[in-house]
Amino acid sequence: MTFLKRRKPVKGTEEHPRQQEDEQPKDKSRSGPTAINHATFLVGGFLGLFLGLVTSVYVTTLHENDLWFSSIQEVEREISFRTECGLYYSYYKQMLQAPTINQGLKELMYDNQTESRRTINLLKRMNIYQEVFLSILYRILSLQNYLEPVYFYVYTVFGLQALYVISLYMTSWLLSGTWISGALAAVWYILNRIDTTRVEFTIPLRENWSLPFFALQIMAITYYLRPQLKPFQQRLSLTLIVASTFLFCITWQFNQFILLIQAVALFSLDCLTMVPASKVRSLYLVQVVSLLLVWILQFNNTMLLGSLVLSFILAALVVQHFQRNLKSGTFAIRVAKLTLHLIVVLSLTILTNNIIKRILGLESDEHIFKFLKAKFGFGATRDFDAKLYLCEEAFGLLPHDTFQRLLQTLILPLYLLVLVITLIVAVIVAIGNLGNCSTPFQNLPVKEEKVIVMRPDVAYNLMHNVLFGLLALSTMRMKYLWTSHMCMFSSAAICSHHFWSLNLKAIRLYSPQWVRAVRFAVPILICIYLYHEFWPKIMAELSDLREFYDPDTVELMNWIKMNTSRDAVFAGSMQLLAGIKLCTGRTITNHPHYEDKKLRDRTKQIYQIYSKRPPEEVYKILRLYGTNYIVVEDSICYERRHSRGCRLRDLLDIANGHVMDGSGANDPDLKTSPYPRFCDEIKSTAPPYSTYFSRVFKNKTFHVYRLKKKKEMH
């Protein structure tokens, strides 16, 4: 990290800012790498690789210890992939079971088992190219005799954790100038595992595939934004940015929202003249190219074309083209120009996005904006899909226990200290830039003086931290985008020569010897404390052996495989149906991949089995989607996990205009339903329910009912 710098009188002109930016400083004392530099680089490189592998082995061991994965049945392994994880893994399994690769791809492109009575292109709808790639690789390498398919999949995801940690390690090293900061970042990542990753119990989740590539992209951007890079170094880093951004986008459906925040960060830094405008435009182009490549591979997925990030980048570039004198004038004039610039860009972004969505008829992501509108207080909503998100803890505010855990590892107080100091420096630099007609990337002749500056790579990582921190505070599920970067940024600052120089000068204790001593003593003392405090806990965690146990679900899956036809259609909760598709291969009516308007409408209809509707209406709805069996879950019908108003049955009652169960207030326009709750009353096996449904399976958790055919009703 760099804060203080002595400007020296250098002749330069405004005509060649890029050449001057990329020109290497002449320093005879650093004319070539020394043996010590080589040794340091090798030691740091091997340590980074070692810590990455340790992380991968660590989460693999935790997964094995928690489930006894190597000894349980295949059906139990598949059940352990809960909710949407099971859905994604089912396509990997489906590709391996196909007679040929071409046949497997054809089945994915013309799938009619994921949504009954509807043929969809799964490669277009979902981000499952990673499952396709792994299944093809497994076939090509002929691993059938050496490694079970499930282990090939699991080990690949856990292996990506090594890439994740190595990327954080290298980013911290780049910012601080020492590999010690990278080691501290990796240690913090491991010790804060509960808040930095959930890979060991949600293996196929899309974020576990994409976030390692996102960390790699941040590392490449950090290197790309370093000053005085040679043209070859710029091209190399830009190539890595393109590759990592593309891999990040192709593996996660929420890529557009993450890239939007990243684009906003770059836009803000460009406006404040803290990052070279040419490099910002290059990074904009990388984002656009990556999204368009994914759009092509996903068979013209309109959700990508209608993304806010593309509209924002287009608006920013267009406005910037016509407002060329944005960075000229006095401080007051520049602030006024920037305010106008911001208003115009935001207005054009919204206008462009609305036009694109109207032209494409895009409704895939409308539930997300309804959720955001309700979450941030822009009006109450009764929308079923929005409330489904609002009532989930994962989409609520970051809970207090997260801060307690981060406090125990010392990262939270140190992070806040680093953040406050770097923010103060950033504000000073931004104000200075706005008051200066020239840019800090142009070496104009000035008097020799001490000025506060901030390197572009440091400025980017600071802005990244602030924006993703705000996102994490507002939405718990997004904390994994912030906490890992928190580990990296904090360790980089703590081990930075310039960070301690600034602080020691502020308290009048500066000397090169003090800076050197504090710079290395602080991280070493932190590591000693962490070892003393957490090593016994890690050993205890690794010795805690458990076993997967879910006999009711295993019994249900085995019964379905043994007692129903291969073409039977099942209806029920999204989470359970994903498991049914994976474990039994049966056709399902709905699933947890919620980014489709028709699927959301279908799910709401299927969920009427938990509402207060007459049996004949529920029967007609289920028949509309070709349902043969419904699975009713007591955990949903009599749910107590959520408070009143957030239980699934409450959401359905409100959406249907009915009064909720239990004591408490109801909106005045809600009416009492004349019918009992379907999921409860169907268990009586009395008319009129017995007219339409017959129970064929029951255990402590699940009740399976077969829909009778018309000829059986008489």
Side-chain angles (χ1 to χ4, degrees), residues 1-10 20-21 23 25 227-228 425 429 439-444 446-456 497-499 501-502 505 510:
M1 290 191 173
T2 299
F3 300 122
L4 289 177
K5 173 183 175 183
R6 181 179 293 276
R7 290 190 184 177
K8 296 183 179 179
V10 181
Q20 293 162 355
E21 175 190 338
E23 187 179 355
Q228 296 141 0
V425 173
V429 171
T439 74
F441 311 108
Q442 298 172 353
N443 296 322
L444 300 177
V446 295
K447 295 180 180 180
E448 186 173 344
E449 57 177 343
K450 289 185 180 180
V451 295
I452 296 180
V453 298
M454 180 174 279
R455 273 194 346 232
H497 175 276
H498 303 285
F499 178 81
S501 296
L502 180 67
K505 284 178 179 178
Y510 174 79

Side-chain angles (χ1 to χ4, degrees), residues 58 408 533-542:
Y58 177 55
Q408 291 173 358
E533 189 71 20
F534 290 96
W535 182 255
K537 295 179 181 179
I538 290 177
M539 291 297 100
E541 186 179 39
L542 291 174

Side-chain angles (χ1 to χ4, degrees), residues 59-60 62-63 67 158 193 197-203 208:
V59 293
T60 303
L62 289 177
H63 176 256
L67 300 176
F158 288 149
R193 173 184 54 81
T197 182
R198 48 179 176 167
V199 65
E200 73 269 19
F201 58 90
T202 59
I203 297 171
N208 294 328

Side-chain angles (χ1 to χ4, degrees), residues 93 113 183 230 283 340 378 387 399 472 474 491 550 608 618:
K93 179 181 177 181
Q113 289 187 315
K230 294 180 180 179
L283 293 175
L340 178 62
F378 296 103
K387 288 187 74 66
S474 65
S491 63
D550 190 355
Q608 296 304 315
V618 176

Side-chain angles (χ1 to χ4, degrees), residues 516-627:
R516 193 178 303 112
V518 174
R519 180 191 180 193
F520 294 109
V522 171
I524 291 173
L525 289 174
I526 292 172
C527 289
I528 292 173
Y529 165 79
L530 294 176
Y531 175 82
H532 178 269
E533 189 71 20
F534 290 96
W535 182 255
K537 295 179 181 179
I538 290 177
M539 291 297 100
E541 186 179 39
L542 291 174
S543 62
D544 184 16
L545 303 180
R546 304 182 184 182
E547 182 180 358
F548 177 87
Y549 184 75
D550 190 355
D552 289 349
T553 307
V554 172
E555 184 184 12
L556 172 67
M557 298 304 175
N558 288 333
W559 181 88
I560 292 174
K561 285 192 287 187
M562 297 293 294
N563 296 277
T564 64
S565 62
R566 289 283 303 173
D567 58 353
V569 178
F570 280 78
S573 68
M574 296 182 291
Q575 296 81 0
L576 179 63
L577 290 182
I580 289 177
K581 185 185 185 308
L582 168 60
C583 298
T584 70
R586 302 301 188 262
T587 303
I588 57 177
T589 55
N590 53 306
H591 54 82
H593 195 276
Y594 222 47
E595 280 66 52
D596 181 77
K597 179 66 166 60
K598 292 182 179 179
L599 173 66
R600 293 195 294 272
D601 293 340
R602 172 187 287 230
T603 299
K604 182 181 175 182
Q605 289 288 85
I606 295 296
Y607 276 8
Q608 296 304 315
I609 61 177
Y610 296 106
S611 70
K612 298 174 181 177
R613 298 279 290 272
E616 56 270 18
E617 285 187 15
V618 176
Y619 179 86
K620 288 179 182 179
I621 291 171
L622 295 171
R623 273 301 184 197
L624 181 65
Y625 300 111
T627 308

